[in-house]
């Protein structure tokens, strides 16, 4: 929302939805268990209570105290409205006394009580000075991100840290509104001072109609795939905005616009129509457009380099396959010739041939069996024992691919500026030479062989790069030379040794970290980010880890030797011992019989029921905000969500429902965006977390989450679709990577099927914006790499992956603080000593990396991917890997020693697999093949299908929660009830004829519970 446009007297900035507003500022509504907890009194609290005389004042004090404990807020209480809480207090603390006078307590008494409560909890009120500090905080936060909710959360974190009572919502609205307004005025002034008239004209042209399509609309388009035509259009878009990008590159840092704000403002251009952009303040519109250009140009380079890498790999794989087939054909032919050679040899022992037969006649017989050429080749093979050179065949095939790889790779090569850390990099010399040649329209063949840089060519490859002429002089094969440059460049790009500064994914690792100016405030930033481990003296921290690890190594071996660890199985083979742990198969089934007796419900009715309880549809605001002419129609919006989430599409939904396609598309375009979908998902997830059944899903009394990827074939290929023969055969697909906590899909994102899932573990955890914050997190082996243990440890998560072959993992990856020889003859022994000196030397650089992750200077998956890459091992990376080895080793020992740890990990992963089954059932239209044309549409599908599954889980969890209320009457064991997973869909009709315009059927939960109570199936099978 743009505060600058608001006129005096208009309603305040809307930051929170109704549900969020009630959650933060609403008076608490306590259950019986809540009252027992919040209205219990400690000894200091009892002493304060005695300072009041009347029962009314004392009861009011306990009410204020309990509500403050719950919300850190004070309320002016009408005792008539809190009668249940008041009656509990009278029963518990005043021996079931009665209070007739329920009039308002005097102001002086209220304020005195509030003062005492603040002192008791070391809180202070939000007075004038505190409010000034909050305004400063808001102004600072607004420079980092223009999102009102971001600024609100920053203020709330500050209030919690400083132990200040939360001020009223109207103050927060005004403060945040002023901060955004101030930031926009600051940006306007800067833009007026720095933007020149030619630049203004260029920016204006982006919003002008060009041959029936606005230029900015054309720029929003991204390539659908890696085809030459799509990439050519992408490069044309890049050339079109290159001068504006250089302007943005120079201007945005001077404006003080953070990376987070750049992404946010760029996203507004992506969301808003041209009409909406023209309604903005002119200078703010220029800021948004520059941010969009900056982000889009870098995105263009990401697309080009990804295409380059993809095509080099494709041509290389094609050459390898062709070479293997050629080798096979050669061996087949050789074997056939060998049989014929046997027949030739038999001629020399054939007694039927006269002794004086002329040699010419013998030759004629031989060549009739095996021609001269094949005989010579076979003889050479027998004499020299020559093997077929598969690499030579590969390069011969590359020769045949020359026209194709030049067409696909050379334009990208010329468009992208590659740089390396060292000026003396041999590959860069070859790259620059080849670029200069192509820009002069000269072919490499026009240069002498010794003029082309060749120091980058590996010794083992040189013999394939040259051919020897009649004069025995070697000539460089220029097509092979060109492809070798592309191949080595691809390897170095993926390793991070060569990079592109105009890219996000492929820029240098140092560019991903916080800058030197920010780093000067590292102590404050570390505290603000809550990274307490980083502030510990490293020597002390390592000493604590050493004691912990060495003690555990000793304890684990003692428990094995004494037989206390009954699960470890030791097998001795001579002097060697091998051990194993039984694989845990604990399971929480989907589609539990508990739900079998329920009458089927339409998915539309489920969404209606869930919206009644958590108002998730309110998250879908019109893209034009208050300029919108169309109001939200919840029936149509529900139809759109089902069309997207089930993978049937809006067209098919228009055919099988009572809503037209044109109405569906208009609503979808105006209301369904990634930001609105994520907000809606968060609302449903948070609502599930408030249900009584939720805490029954804790594993060992903590929230234990898991993340895993689910593969989906793409019927229409997009730029992030990739081949995966294991999952798609010869087709392509994507991966939906999801974080599941207590059965709830709390966060998700779409990634390429070729991307390593371990790069996204921290990303998906840290960017989870729900109230459900996991303590322990599990993945399968795909989620592990060289840094995840360390990174998650720094941020307060316990990383707990599953290992199927734990013996081999521990045998090669368990480390200690002593040399292996010092551990004696024990079963579980480290393979190497931790290099603590390396960690201490690089501790400051490690701090900088972790702090950069916390401050989101770039996408976390990009940093993690660069850190976990094996190809480039600098000193800092090796130090972080070494620290990771300590945390990883501690986990190995727990995994070996504790059957409950292994069981808990398996349970968490099983929940993720159960969710995937539900997700597959929800999105099975079009046989589960995604029909979306762009990567953006795939992201929308991913969030819509997650929303549908979230609503189904909420509905099921509501049934289970309401069942708990009848537990005492039915003598129901709650421990059995909690084993009923809310991931079930046998009682939900996901497909059929949809009718949204008829009167929505309301779900009567009490009626459902009564049916369950009367069901014999419920009584027997639960």
């Amino acid at each position: 929302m743009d505060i600058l446009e608001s006129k005096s007297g208009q309603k305040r900035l809307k930051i929170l939805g109704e549900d969020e507003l009630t959650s933060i500022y609403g008076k608490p509504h306590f259950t019986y268990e809540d009252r027992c907890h919040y209205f219990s009194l400690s000894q200091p609290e009892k002493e304060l209570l005695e300072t009041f005389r009347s029962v009314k004042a004392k009861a009011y004090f306990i009410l204020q105290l309990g509500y403050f404990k719950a919300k850190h807020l004070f309320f002016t209480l009408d005792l008539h409205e809190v009668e249940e809480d008041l009656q509990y207090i009278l029963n518990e603390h005043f021996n079931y006394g009665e209070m007739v006078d329920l009039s308002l307590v005097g102001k002086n008494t209220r304020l005195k009580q509030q003062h005492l409560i603040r002192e008791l909890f070391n809180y202070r009120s939000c007075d004038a000075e505190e409010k000034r500090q909050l305004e400063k905080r808001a102004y600072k936060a607004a420079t980092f991100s223009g999102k009102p909710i971001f600024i609100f959360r920053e203020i709330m974190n500050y209030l919690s840290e400083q132990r200040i009572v939360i001020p009223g919502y109207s103050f927060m609205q005004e403060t945040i509104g002023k901060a955004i307004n101030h930031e926009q005025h600051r940006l306007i002034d800067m833009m007026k001072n720095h933007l020149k008239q030619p630049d203004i004209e260029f920016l204006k042209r982006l919003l002008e109609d060009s041959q029936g399509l606005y230029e900015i609309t054309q720029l929003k388009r991204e390539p659908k795939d890696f085809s030459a035509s799509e990439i050519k259009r992408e490069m044309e878009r890049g050339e079109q905005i290159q001068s504006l990008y250089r302007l943005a590159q120079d201007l945005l840092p001077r404006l003080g616009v953070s990376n987070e704000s750049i992404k946010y403002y760029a996203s507004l251009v992506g969301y808003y129509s041209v009409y909406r952009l023209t309604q903005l303040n002119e200078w703010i519109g220029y800021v948004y457009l520059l941010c969009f250009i900056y982000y889009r140009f870098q995105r263009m380079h990401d697309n080009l380099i990804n295409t380059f890498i993809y095509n080099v790999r494709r041509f290389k794989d094609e050459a390898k396959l062709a070479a293997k087939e050629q080798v096979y054909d050669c061996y087949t032919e050789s074997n056939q010739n060998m049989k014929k050679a046997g027949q030739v040899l038999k001629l020399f022992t054939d007694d039927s041939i006269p002794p004086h037969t002329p040699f010419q006649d013998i030759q004629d017989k031989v060549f009739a069996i095996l021609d001269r050429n094949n005989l010579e080749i076979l003889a050479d093979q027998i004499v020299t024992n020559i093997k077929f050179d598969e690499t030579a065949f590969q390069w011969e095939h590359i020769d045949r691919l020359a026209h194709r790889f030049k067409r696909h790779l050379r334009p990208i090569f010329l468009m992208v500026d590659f740089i390396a850390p060292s000026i003396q990099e041999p590959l860069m010399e070859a790259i620059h030479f080849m670029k200069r040649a192509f820009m002069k329209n000269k072919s490499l063949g026009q240069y002498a062989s010794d003029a082309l840089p060749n120091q980058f060519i590996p010794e083992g490859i040189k013999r394939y790069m040259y051919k020897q002429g009649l004069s025995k002089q070697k000539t460089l094969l220029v097509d092979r030379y060109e492809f070798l440059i592309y191949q080595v460049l691809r390897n170095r790009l993926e390793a991070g040794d060569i990079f592109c500064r105009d890219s996000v994914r492929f820029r240098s690792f140092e560019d991903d970290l916080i800058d030197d100016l920010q780093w000067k405030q590292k102590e404050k930033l570390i505290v603000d980010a809550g990274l307490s481990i980083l502030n510990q003296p490293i020597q002390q921290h390592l000493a604590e880890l050493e004691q912990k690890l060495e003690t555990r190594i000793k304890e684990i071996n003692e428990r094995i030797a004494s037989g206390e660890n009954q699960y470890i199985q030791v097998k001795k083979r001579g002097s060697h011992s091998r051990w194993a742990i039984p694989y845990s198969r604990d399971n929480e089934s989907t589609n539990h019989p508990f739900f079998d007796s329920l009458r089927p419900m339409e998915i539309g009715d489920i969404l209606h029921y869930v919206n009644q309880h958590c108002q998730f549809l309110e998250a879908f605001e019109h893209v034009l905000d208050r300029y919108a002419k169309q109001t939200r129609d919840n029936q149509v919006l529900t139809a759109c969500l089902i069309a997207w989430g089930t993978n049937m599409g809006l067209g098919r939904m228009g055919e099988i429902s009572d809503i037209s396609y044109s109405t569906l598309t208009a609503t979808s375009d105006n209301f369904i965006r990634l930001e609105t979908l994520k907000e809606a998902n968060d609302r449903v997830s948070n609502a599930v977390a408030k249900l009584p059944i939720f805490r029954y899903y804790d594993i060992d009394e903590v929230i234990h989450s898991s993340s895993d990827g689910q593969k989906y074939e793409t019927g229409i290929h997009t730029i992030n679709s990739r081949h995966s023969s294991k999952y798609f055969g010869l087709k392509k697909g994507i991966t939906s990577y999801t974080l599941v906590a207590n059965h709830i899909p709390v966060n998700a994102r779409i990634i390429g099927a070729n991307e390593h899932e371990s790069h996204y573990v921290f990303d998906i955890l840290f960017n989870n914006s729900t109230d459900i914050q996991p303590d322990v997190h599990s993945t399968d082996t795909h989620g592990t790499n060289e840094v995840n243990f360390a990174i998650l440890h720094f941020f307060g998560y316990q990383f707990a992956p599953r290992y199927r072959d734990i013996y081999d993992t521990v045998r090669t990856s368990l480390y200690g603080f002593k040399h292996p020889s010092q551990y004696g003859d024990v079963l579980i022994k480290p393979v190497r000593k931790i290099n603590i000196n390396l960690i201490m030397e690089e501790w400051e650089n490690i701090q900088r990396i972790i702090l950069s992750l916390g401050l989101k200077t770039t996408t976390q998956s990009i940093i993690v991917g660069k850190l976990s890459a094996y190809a480039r091992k600098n000193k800092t990376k090796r130090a972080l890997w070494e620290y990771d080895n300590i945390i990883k080793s501690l986990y190995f020992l727990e995994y070996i020693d504790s059957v409950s740890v292994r069981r808990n990990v398996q349970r968490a992963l099983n929940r993720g697999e159960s969710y995937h089954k539900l997700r597959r059932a929800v999105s099975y239209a079009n046989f589960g093949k995604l029909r979306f044309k762009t990567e953006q549409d795939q992201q929308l599908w991913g969030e819509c299908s997650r929303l549908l599954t979230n609503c189904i889980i909420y509905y099921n969890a509501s049934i289970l929660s309401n069942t708990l209320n009848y537990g005492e009457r039915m003598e129901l064991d709650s421990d059995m009830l909690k084993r009923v997973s809310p991931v079930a869909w046998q009682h939900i009709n996901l497909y059929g004829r949809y009718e949204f315009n008829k009167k929505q059927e309301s779900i009567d939960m009490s009626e459902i519970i009564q049916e369950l109570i009367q069901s014999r199936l419920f009584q027997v099978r639960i």
Side-chain angles (χ1 to χ4, degrees), residues 185-196:
H185 278 299
R186 187 186 70 81
L187 291 174
I188 288 172
D189 291 340
M190 295 283 286
M191 291 294 283
K192 287 179 178 178
N193 291 332
H194 291 92
L195 210 57
K196 298 176 182 176

Side-chain angles (χ1 to χ4, degrees), residues 706-816:
S706 67
S707 59
D708 194 14
Q710 186 176 23
K711 302 292 191 295
Y712 283 88
E713 185 180 328
T714 50
I716 300 173
H717 299 326
T718 59
I719 198 162
N720 66 334
S721 299
R722 292 291 195 282
H723 288 292
S724 177
S725 57
K726 179 180 178 181
Y727 297 100
F728 313 126
L730 298 176
K731 306 293 184 180
K732 289 183 179 181
I734 50 91
T735 298
S736 176
Y737 193 66
T738 307
L739 171 66
V740 176
N742 282 20
H743 295 291
I744 303 170
V746 296
N747 199 12
R749 63 178 298 165
I750 302 298
I751 62 176
N754 63 314
E755 296 186 82
H756 205 288
E757 292 178 7
S758 70
H759 299 168
Y760 293 88
V761 173
F762 173 72
D763 197 327
I764 205 166
L765 269 171
F766 191 66
N767 291 299
N768 162 32
S769 52
T770 70
D771 297 336
I772 304 166
Q773 296 298 324
D775 303 290
V776 184
H777 184 74
S778 290
T779 68
D780 58 16
T781 309
H782 293 297
T784 61
N785 55 31
E786 296 296 331
V787 295
N788 273 350
F789 273 100
I791 291 172
L792 267 62
H793 176 70
F794 283 124
F795 284 89
Y797 302 105
Q798 168 64 60
F799 188 37
R802 176 182 63 190
Y803 294 98
R804 288 188 180 273
D805 190 351
I806 187 64
Y807 170 79
D808 279 337
T809 305
V810 170
R811 183 176 60 84
T812 57
S813 305
L814 180 68
Y815 300 91

Side-chain angles (χ1 to χ4, degrees), residues 20 106 199 214 263 497 527 538 544 668 704 767 772 829:
E20 292 173 309
D199 301 325
Y214 295 104
K263 285 192 288 186
D497 291 329
V527 171
I538 184 57
E544 291 172 0
S668 178
H704 189 148
N767 291 299
I772 304 166
K829 180 189 293 189

Side-chain angles (χ1 to χ4, degrees), residues 28-42 45 61-72 85 88-89 93 121:
H29 294 283
F30 287 159
T31 63
Y32 177 79
E33 290 78 11
D34 291 335
R35 294 185 186 107
C36 293
H37 175 68
Y38 290 113
F39 292 142
S40 63
L41 300 178
S42 65
E45 292 165 355
F61 174 76
I62 298 173
L63 279 169
Q64 288 215 82
L65 180 66
Y67 292 163
F68 184 82
K69 290 177 184 177
K71 291 287 187 87
H72 294 149
D85 291 344
Y88 173 85
I89 291 169
H93 296 288
F121 289 98

